[in-house]
Amino acid sequence: MTHDEKRLFLIRYLLNENPDYSSIRIPDDSYRQWRLLRSLMNVRHAKPIGDDFLSIQDEFLQEETRRKGITDIAGLSPVIGDTYLWQGDITTLRCDAIVNAANSGMTGCYVPCHGCIDNAIHTFAGIQLRLECNELMTRQGHEEETGKAKLTKGWNLPSSHVIHTVGPVVRTYRPTEEDRKLLSSCYSSCLALADENNLGSIAFCCISTGEFHYPNRKAAETAFNTVQKYRQDTDSRIKVVFNVFKDEDRKIYEELFREYK
């Protein structure tokens, strides 16, 4: 089965799952087919699915990521100590764990093709990630608290694991001291969870700076300072990657690294 045939197989499988999708026509071009497939995966609630789907999905997603290009942390150079700065798509980074900026429901973003990192991570990990997250939340019995962290497999991502954390939502674009403490807790909770599970490396996205409106510079300062304090308090040797996507965030972190030196 070719890559294009796999994409069509997956689309048809998901369309056939739901009678309400009977009027949806599959586009002719590969770009719109991929967006349709991603949308169907995004809106699908956590429920069992056949091994035939999972087998084809895994092959398809791994090939999609391979085509985007995978970056291995082993090929990166630290800026200071065991701390790195890398600009790129976190779903293409190979390390022990990447951090997902989740929502309190913890089962991913259900908005079709939304631009948030939660959506991207769940898309390229595959529907197994939502199933695993749903199992965790069912056992927990309540929404995830801000500042805590949960560990799952990485599934079809290059990273072995995903650590999910819920950052604070800044309502007025002016974070309070409580917001700062909660954001700091996100980073320290993720680091502690990684160390508890003997993970050697972790990559942080810019938690809360997107849909949750935390100012980029203040968020970066809290992230940077929390990681350095955690290292001092615990003597942890875990490798930490600050992953940025926007030029704005890269420049902010470059300034923080220069000031620290």
Side-chain angles (χ1 to χ4, degrees), residues 29-237:
D29 63 284
S30 60
Y31 173 76
R32 288 190 298 159
Q33 286 178 6
W34 167 233
R35 286 188 61 84
L36 174 58
L37 174 57
R38 179 169 180 168
S39 297
L40 292 169
M41 293 170 67
N42 294 160
V43 301
R44 187 182 189 274
H45 288 268
K47 58 183 179 180
I49 198 166
D51 290 340
D52 52 343
F53 177 90
L54 293 177
S55 176
I56 298 300
Q57 177 216 239
D58 293 354
E59 292 176 3
F60 179 82
L61 291 176
Q62 290 169 28
E63 175 62 16
E64 282 290 309
T65 299
R66 188 194 68 78
R67 293 182 180 190
K68 288 196 295 181
I70 296 172
T71 298
D72 196 309
I73 188 175
L76 301 179
S77 298
V79 181
I80 51 171
D82 290 321
T83 309
Y84 302 70
L85 176 62
W86 179 68
Q87 184 174 17
D89 178 353
I90 201 170
T91 66
T92 67
L93 182 62
R94 178 177 286 125
C95 59
D96 288 340
I98 61 171
V99 173
N100 177 30
N103 58 54
S104 59
M106 288 287 283
T107 58
C109 170
Y110 288 80
V111 180
C113 297
H114 192 250
C116 69
I117 195 165
D118 195 15
N119 188 293
I121 287 174
H122 273 267
T123 294
F124 287 97
I127 65 171
Q128 296 100 317
L129 182 56
R130 178 164 287 169
L131 293 170
E132 184 179 3
C133 288
N134 186 63
E135 290 176 3
L136 288 174
M137 297 309 291
T138 299
R139 289 199 299 269
Q140 178 165 287
H142 58 81
E143 291 189 335
E144 184 73 354
E145 297 176 45
T146 303
K148 305 295 185 181
K150 289 279 192 299
L151 178 73
T152 65
K153 296 178 182 178
W155 297 103
N156 291 293
L157 296 165
S159 58
S160 304
H161 300 83
V162 179
I163 297 180
H164 309 258
T165 188
V166 182
V169 179
V170 178
R171 305 292 181 184
T172 63
Y173 292 89
R174 293 182 180 178
T176 63
E177 178 59 18
E178 179 64 15
D179 291 331
R180 188 199 65 77
K181 289 179 180 178
L182 288 170
L183 184 60
S184 178
S185 179
C186 287
Y187 285 89
S188 57
S189 294
C190 289
L191 288 164
L193 188 57
D195 273 335
E196 287 169 14
N197 287 274
N198 298 312
L199 304 184
S201 58
I202 184 172
F204 284 104
C205 62
C206 299
I207 301 168
S208 279
T209 59
E211 296 295 312
F212 287 6
H213 307 305
Y214 209 110
N216 296 61
R217 174 167 286 279
K218 290 186 178 297
E221 290 171 352
T222 295
F224 190 88
N225 292 335
T226 300
V227 168
Q228 302 312 318
K229 185 176 187 303
Y230 179 86
R231 289 192 188 285
Q232 294 168 5
D233 292 347
T234 65
D235 201 29
S236 173
R237 301 310 303 167

